[in-house]
Amino acid sequence: YVSSSQLDNTIRSACPTPLVTMMAKDVPTSISTFDVSAVGDYWRFYSDSKNKFGWILETNKTSMDSECGANGHWCENARSRHTLALKIVMSSETPIVQLRFLRSYSPEMGAVKVWLDDKYNEAVELNGKWDSPYSVMNLVTLSTKKLEINSLMVGESHVTAMLTPGEHVLRITGANMPSDKFKWKLLG
């Protein structure tokens, strides 16, 4: 078990002076910490479990099939309607983006694609489903180079060239339909 203070210390060691911090807390007013550029039709900020707020993408197979046909994947037509866009700023030193999201055994948990600006072809996939019989907050770190971070404390990391210094729009949209329902939750 890793305490939240241990996790916060590890995160600070990877990114000691964040330029932007957005974090869902146990109150609905924490929505104000998110600099939202656009919210797709299927994203809502709410608490789906006792004071555990976050940006939640939910849809169902019937809705997706009507937009994309019965292929079980997000098509280009549906992507804009299912995308959450957040304004972020990255430094010129070593750009890092860290995302906290829910991982759960629940059958409707799916995967999303995350990308910057118009670089959808460089998107990173984040899976909210796993087989362990509990739900946890997972942290993923996106950076331009391999970071020396204790992976047991922070989850996973991805090296990607899409991170560059300056102002950007971080976009998140669904990637698959694991069952008749789909859910994915961003915590920060």
Side-chain angles (χ1 to χ4, degrees), residues 97-138:
V97 173
Q98 293 182 315
L99 299 168
R100 294 181 188 199
F101 64 95
L102 180 68
R103 288 200 82 179
S104 178
Y105 58 92
S106 183
E108 71 269 7
M109 295 304 287
V112 296
K113 292 199 178 222
V114 177
W115 72 99
L116 288 180
D117 305 319
D118 61 352
K119 299 177 182 175
Y120 182 77
N121 60 330
E122 298 178 40
V124 173
E125 190 167 303
L126 305 178
N127 197 345
K129 175 130 174 65
W130 69 350
D131 296 329
S132 297
Y134 48 87
S135 298
V136 296
M137 187 243 355
N138 192 58

Coordinates of all heavy atoms in Angstrom, one line a residue, residues 97-138:
V97 N 3.6 15.6 -18.4 CA 2.2 15.6 -18.1 C 1.9 14.4 -17.3 O 2.3 13.3 -17.6 CB 1.3 15.6 -19.4 CG1 -0.1 15.4 -19.1 CG2 1.6 16.8 -20.3
Q98 N 1.2 14.6 -16.1 CA 0.8 13.5 -15.3 C -0.7 13.5 -15.2 O -1.3 14.5 -14.9 CB 1.5 13.6 -13.9 CG 3.0 13.4 -14.0 CD 3.6 13.5 -12.6 OE1 3.3 14.4 -11.8 NE2 4.5 12.6 -12.4
L99 N -1.3 12.3 -15.4 CA -2.7 12.2 -15.3 C -3.1 11.1 -14.2 O -2.5 10.1 -14.2 CB -3.3 11.7 -16.7 CG -3.1 12.7 -17.8 CD1 -3.4 12.0 -19.1 CD2 -3.9 13.9 -17.7
R100 N -4.0 11.5 -13.4 CA -4.5 10.5 -12.4 C -5.9 10.1 -12.9 O -6.8 10.9 -13.3 CB -4.7 11.2 -11.0 CG -3.4 11.6 -10.4 CD -3.6 12.2 -9.0 NE -2.4 12.7 -8.5 CZ -2.2 13.0 -7.3 NH1 -3.1 12.8 -6.4 NH2 -1.0 13.5 -6.9
F101 N -6.1 8.8 -12.9 CA -7.4 8.2 -13.4 C -7.8 7.0 -12.6 O -6.9 6.4 -12.0 CB -7.4 8.0 -14.9 CG -6.5 6.9 -15.4 CD1 -6.9 5.6 -15.6 CD2 -5.1 7.2 -15.7 CE1 -6.0 4.6 -16.0 CE2 -4.2 6.3 -16.1 CZ -4.7 5.0 -16.3
L102 N -9.0 6.6 -12.7 CA -9.5 5.4 -12.0 C -9.2 4.2 -12.7 O -9.5 4.1 -13.9 CB -11.0 5.6 -11.7 CG -11.7 4.4 -11.0 CD1 -11.2 4.4 -9.5 CD2 -13.2 4.6 -11.0
R103 N -8.7 3.2 -12.1 CA -8.6 1.8 -12.6 C -9.5 0.9 -11.8 O -9.5 1.0 -10.6 CB -7.2 1.3 -12.6 CG -6.3 2.0 -13.6 CD -5.1 1.4 -14.0 NE -5.4 0.3 -15.0 CZ -4.4 -0.4 -15.5 NH1 -3.1 -0.2 -15.1 NH2 -4.6 -1.3 -16.4
S104 N -10.3 0.1 -12.5 CA -11.3 -0.7 -11.8 C -11.5 -2.0 -12.5 O -11.3 -2.2 -13.7 CB -12.6 0.1 -11.7 OG -13.6 -0.7 -11.1
Y105 N -12.1 -2.9 -11.7 CA -12.5 -4.3 -12.2 C -13.9 -4.2 -12.9 O -14.3 -5.2 -13.5 CB -12.5 -5.3 -11.1 CG -13.4 -4.9 -10.0 CD1 -14.8 -5.3 -10.0 CD2 -13.0 -4.0 -9.0 CE1 -15.6 -4.9 -9.0 CE2 -13.8 -3.6 -7.9 CZ -15.1 -4.1 -7.9 OH -16.0 -3.7 -7.0
S106 N -14.6 -3.1 -12.7 CA -15.9 -3.0 -13.2 C -16.0 -3.2 -14.7 O -15.2 -2.7 -15.5 CB -16.4 -1.5 -12.9 OG -17.8 -1.4 -13.3
P107 N -16.9 -4.0 -15.2 CA -17.0 -4.4 -16.6 C -17.1 -3.3 -17.6 O -16.7 -3.4 -18.7 CB -18.1 -5.4 -16.7 CG -18.9 -5.3 -15.5 CD -18.0 -4.6 -14.4
E108 N -17.7 -2.1 -17.2 CA -17.9 -1.0 -18.2 C -16.6 -0.1 -18.3 O -16.6 0.7 -19.2 CB -19.1 -0.2 -17.8 CG -18.9 0.6 -16.6 CD -19.4 0.0 -15.3 OE1 -19.7 -1.2 -15.3 OE2 -19.4 0.6 -14.2
M109 N -15.6 -0.4 -17.5 CA -14.4 0.5 -17.6 C -13.7 0.2 -18.9 O -13.5 -0.9 -19.3 CB -13.5 0.2 -16.4 CG -14.0 0.6 -15.1 SD -14.5 2.3 -14.9 CE -13.0 3.2 -14.9
G110 N -13.4 1.3 -19.6 CA -12.7 1.1 -20.9 C -11.4 1.9 -21.0 O -10.9 2.4 -19.9
A111 N -10.9 2.1 -22.2 CA -9.7 2.8 -22.4 C -10.0 4.1 -23.1 O -11.0 4.2 -23.8 CB -8.7 1.9 -23.2
V112 N -9.1 5.1 -22.9 CA -9.2 6.3 -23.6 C -7.9 6.6 -24.4 O -6.9 6.0 -24.1 CB -9.5 7.5 -22.7 CG1 -10.8 7.4 -22.0 CG2 -8.3 7.7 -21.7
K113 N -8.0 7.5 -25.3 CA -6.8 8.0 -26.0 C -6.5 9.4 -25.5 O -7.5 10.2 -25.4 CB -6.9 8.0 -27.5 CG -7.0 6.5 -28.0 CD -6.7 6.4 -29.4 CE -6.7 5.0 -29.8 NZ -5.7 4.6 -30.7
V114 N -5.2 9.8 -25.3 CA -4.8 11.1 -24.8 C -3.8 11.6 -25.8 O -2.9 11.0 -26.2 CB -4.2 11.0 -23.4 CG1 -3.7 12.3 -22.9 CG2 -5.2 10.4 -22.4
W115 N -4.0 12.9 -26.2 CA -3.1 13.5 -27.2 C -3.1 15.0 -27.0 O -4.0 15.6 -26.3 CB -3.4 13.1 -28.6 CG -4.6 13.7 -29.2 CD1 -4.7 14.8 -30.0 CD2 -6.0 13.3 -29.0 NE1 -6.0 15.1 -30.4 CE2 -6.8 14.2 -29.8 CE3 -6.6 12.3 -28.3 CZ2 -8.2 14.1 -29.8 CZ3 -8.0 12.2 -28.3 CH2 -8.8 13.1 -29.1
L116 N -2.1 15.7 -27.6 CA -2.0 17.2 -27.5 C -2.4 17.8 -28.8 O -2.1 17.3 -29.9 CB -0.6 17.6 -27.2 CG -0.1 17.4 -25.8 CD1 1.3 17.9 -25.7 CD2 -1.0 18.0 -24.8
D117 N -3.1 18.9 -28.7 CA -3.5 19.7 -29.9 C -4.1 18.8 -31.0 O -5.1 18.2 -30.8 CB -2.3 20.5 -30.4 CG -1.7 21.3 -29.2 OD1 -2.5 21.9 -28.5 OD2 -0.4 21.4 -29.1
D118 N -3.5 18.8 -32.2 CA -4.0 18.0 -33.3 C -3.2 16.8 -33.6 O -3.3 16.2 -34.6 CB -4.1 18.9 -34.5 CG -2.7 19.4 -35.0 OD1 -1.8 19.2 -34.2 OD2 -2.6 20.0 -36.1
K119 N -2.5 16.3 -32.6 CA -1.6 15.2 -32.8 C -2.2 13.8 -32.4 O -1.7 13.0 -31.7 CB -0.3 15.4 -32.0 CG 0.5 16.6 -32.4 CD 1.7 16.8 -31.6 CE 2.4 18.1 -32.0 NZ 3.5 18.4 -31.1
Y120 N -3.4 13.6 -32.9 CA -4.2 12.4 -32.6 C -3.4 11.1 -33.0 O -3.4 10.1 -32.3 CB -5.5 12.3 -33.2 CG -6.3 11.1 -32.9 CD1 -7.0 11.0 -31.7 CD2 -6.5 10.1 -33.8 CE1 -7.7 9.9 -31.3 CE2 -7.2 8.9 -33.5 CZ -7.8 8.9 -32.2 OH -8.5 7.7 -31.9
N121 N -2.6 11.2 -34.0 CA -1.8 10.0 -34.5 C -0.7 9.7 -33.5 O -0.1 8.6 -33.6 CB -1.3 10.3 -35.9 CG -0.3 11.5 -35.9 OD1 -0.5 12.4 -35.2 ND2 0.6 11.4 -36.8
E122 N -0.4 10.5 -32.5 CA 0.6 10.2 -31.5 C -0.1 9.9 -30.2 O 0.6 9.9 -29.1 CB 1.5 11.4 -31.4 CG 2.3 11.7 -32.6 CD 3.2 12.9 -32.4 OE1 3.8 13.1 -31.4 OE2 3.3 13.7 -33.4
A123 N -1.4 9.7 -30.1 CA -2.1 9.5 -28.9 C -1.6 8.3 -28.1 O -1.1 7.3 -28.7 CB -3.6 9.3 -29.2
V124 N -1.7 8.4 -26.8 CA -1.3 7.3 -25.8 C -2.6 6.8 -25.3 O -3.5 7.5 -25.0 CB -0.4 7.9 -24.7 CG1 -0.2 6.9 -23.6 CG2 0.9 8.5 -25.2
E125 N -2.7 5.4 -25.2 CA -3.9 4.8 -24.7 C -3.8 4.5 -23.2 O -2.7 3.9 -22.8 CB -4.2 3.5 -25.5 CG -5.6 2.9 -25.2 CD -6.0 1.9 -26.2 OE1 -6.0 2.2 -27.4 OE2 -6.3 0.8 -25.7
L126 N -4.8 4.9 -22.5 CA -4.8 4.6 -21.0 C -6.0 3.7 -20.7 O -7.2 4.1 -20.9 CB -4.9 5.9 -20.2 CG -3.9 7.0 -20.5 CD1 -4.1 8.2 -19.7 CD2 -2.5 6.4 -20.3
N127 N -5.8 2.5 -20.2 CA -6.8 1.6 -19.9 C -7.3 1.7 -18.4 O -6.5 1.6 -17.5 CB -6.3 0.2 -20.1 CG -7.5 -0.8 -20.3 OD1 -8.6 -0.5 -19.9 ND2 -7.2 -2.0 -20.8
G128 N -8.6 2.0 -18.3 CA -9.2 2.1 -17.0 C -9.6 0.7 -16.4 O -10.0 0.7 -15.2
K129 N -9.5 -0.3 -17.1 CA -10.0 -1.7 -16.6 C -8.7 -2.5 -16.3 O -7.7 -2.5 -17.0 CB -10.8 -2.4 -17.7 CG -11.1 -3.8 -17.4 CD -12.6 -4.0 -17.6 CE -13.0 -5.4 -17.4 NZ -12.9 -5.9 -16.1
W130 N -8.9 -3.3 -15.2 CA -7.9 -4.3 -14.9 C -8.6 -5.4 -14.2 O -9.8 -5.3 -13.8 CB -6.7 -3.7 -14.1 CG -7.0 -3.2 -12.7 CD1 -8.2 -3.1 -12.1 CD2 -6.0 -2.9 -11.8 NE1 -8.0 -2.6 -10.8 CE2 -6.7 -2.5 -10.6 CE3 -4.6 -2.8 -11.8 CZ2 -6.0 -2.0 -9.5 CZ3 -4.0 -2.4 -10.7 CH2 -4.7 -2.0 -9.5
D131 N -7.9 -6.5 -13.9 CA -8.5 -7.7 -13.4 C -8.5 -7.8 -11.9 O -9.2 -8.6 -11.3 CB -7.8 -9.0 -14.0 CG -8.1 -9.1 -15.5 OD1 -9.1 -8.6 -15.9 OD2 -7.2 -9.6 -16.1
S132 N -7.7 -6.9 -11.2 CA -7.7 -7.0 -9.7 C -9.0 -6.6 -9.1 O -9.7 -5.8 -9.7 CB -6.6 -6.0 -9.2 OG -5.3 -6.4 -9.7
P133 N -9.4 -7.2 -8.0 CA -10.8 -7.1 -7.5 C -11.0 -5.8 -6.7 O -11.7 -5.8 -5.7 CB -11.0 -8.3 -6.6 CG -9.6 -8.6 -6.1 CD -8.7 -8.2 -7.3
Y134 N -10.4 -4.7 -7.0 CA -10.5 -3.4 -6.3 C -10.3 -2.3 -7.3 O -9.8 -2.5 -8.4 CB -9.6 -3.3 -5.1 CG -8.2 -3.7 -5.4 CD1 -7.3 -2.7 -5.9 CD2 -7.7 -5.0 -5.2 CE1 -6.0 -3.1 -6.2 CE2 -6.4 -5.3 -5.5 CZ -5.5 -4.4 -6.0 OH -4.2 -4.7 -6.3
S135 N -10.7 -1.1 -6.9 CA -10.5 0.1 -7.7 C -9.5 1.0 -7.1 O -9.5 1.2 -5.8 CB -11.8 0.9 -7.8 OG -12.8 0.1 -8.5
V136 N -8.6 1.6 -7.9 CA -7.5 2.4 -7.4 C -7.3 3.6 -8.3 O -7.7 3.6 -9.4 CB -6.2 1.7 -7.2 CG1 -6.3 0.6 -6.2 CG2 -5.7 1.2 -8.6
M137 N -6.6 4.7 -7.7 CA -6.2 5.8 -8.5 C -4.9 5.4 -9.2 O -4.0 4.9 -8.5 CB -6.0 7.0 -7.7 CG -5.7 8.2 -8.5 SD -4.1 9.1 -8.3 CE -3.2 8.3 -7.1
N138 N -4.8 5.5 -10.5 CA -3.6 5.2 -11.2 C -3.0 6.5 -11.7 O -3.7 7.4 -12.1 CB -3.9 4.3 -12.4 CG -2.7 3.7 -13.1 OD1 -1.9 3.1 -12.4 ND2 -2.5 4.0 -14.3

